Amino acid sequence: MSQNVSVLVVCLGNICRSPIGEAVLKHVAKERGLDITVDSAGTSNYHIGEDPDDRSVAVCKKNKVPIKHSARQVQQADFRTFTHILAADEANLRNLNRMKPRDATAEVRLWGSYLDGEAIPDPYYGGMNGFENVFEQCVKLSNAFLDDVFGTSTQGVE
Ligand code: 4NP
């Protein structure tokens, strides 16, 4: 079953929140023994081709979570390719719903809707603290998402 779950994590620039979200969700799924596909993208074209922000790389490195991504913009085909598209905040969700094609098959939701309904705040113009908070939020949201899709029985691996 897990082979059929594919997730696209989406934010605005695809250099701060969603590459961290992609890295963390991959890591948590692997710890649980779940084989899922995870990618990330941005609603904007601002940073296409760029590596993740240095602060995103730093927080992942500190927590020993591998991060590797080249920024890209969301494509219409993503709505047919992925089973789940997870938006970091409400503005991202609105933009996704605007670009969603008629034949979309992906479930498009605020990632926070799997836990507490909270958005992941944009850390771009702040300090390292914001990136630490994004990382911790992504760990909680990854667990909440995987609990919802696979059930809590897959928990328990440190
Ligand atoms: P992200 O953060 O959406 O989490 O990747 C941002 C990155 C870049 C910009 C805004 C937010 N920007 O305006 O360039």
Side-chain angles (χ1 to χ4, degrees), residues 75-151:
Q75 307 292 320
Q76 293 230 320
D78 291 325
F79 292 86
R80 295 181 286 266
T81 305
F82 290 90
T83 58
H84 297 77
I85 300 182
L86 306 178
D89 65 30
E90 286 87 355
N92 307 146
L93 183 62
R94 275 194 301 279
N95 284 322
L96 284 167
N97 281 325
R98 234 174 261 145
M99 50 192 304
K100 187 173 164 178
R102 281 164 159 271
D103 59 349
T105 47
E107 181 157 4
V108 183
R109 280 172 62 169
L110 187 73
W111 197 359
S113 71
Y114 288 89
L115 183 65
D116 51 12
E118 297 286 326
I120 305 174
D122 184 349
Y124 187 60
Y125 293 104
M128 200 56 215
N129 188 38
F131 286 76
E132 306 268 3
N133 291 340
V134 168
F135 184 93
E136 292 308 325
Q137 204 174 350
C138 286
V139 172
K140 289 180 189 150
L141 293 177
S142 293
N143 279 304
F145 173 77
L146 295 171
D147 285 351
D148 188 88
V149 174
F150 295 100

Side-chain angles (χ1 to χ4, degrees), residues 11-19 46-47 92 122-125:
C11 63
L12 175 63
N14 193 212
I15 54 169
C16 300
R17 292 166 291 178
S18 59
Y46 305 158
H47 297 279
N92 307 146
D122 184 349
Y124 187 60
Y125 293 104

Side-chain angles (χ1 to χ4, degrees), residues 36-101:
I36 64 171
T37 299
V38 188
D39 192 10
S40 65
T43 56
S44 77
N45 60 5
Y46 305 158
H47 297 279
I48 292 173
E50 292 180 21
D51 287 342
D53 188 283
D54 289 346
R55 295 163 295 178
S56 300
V57 174
V59 75
C60 285
K61 197 169 174 193
K62 184 176 162 188
N63 288 281
K64 298 187 170 58
V65 170
I67 179 168
K68 188 178 187 307
H69 185 71
S70 178
R72 71 171 183 89
Q73 192 171 20
V74 179
Q75 307 292 320
Q76 293 230 320
D78 291 325
F79 292 86
R80 295 181 286 266
T81 305
F82 290 90
T83 58
H84 297 77
I85 300 182
L86 306 178
D89 65 30
E90 286 87 355
N92 307 146
L93 183 62
R94 275 194 301 279
N95 284 322
L96 284 167
N97 281 325
R98 234 174 261 145
M99 50 192 304
K100 187 173 164 178

Side-chain angles (χ1 to χ4, degrees), residues 32 34 146-147 150-157:
R32 288 189 180 205
L34 296 169
L146 295 171
D147 285 351
F150 295 100
T152 51
S153 61
T154 62
Q155 270 182 356
V157 183

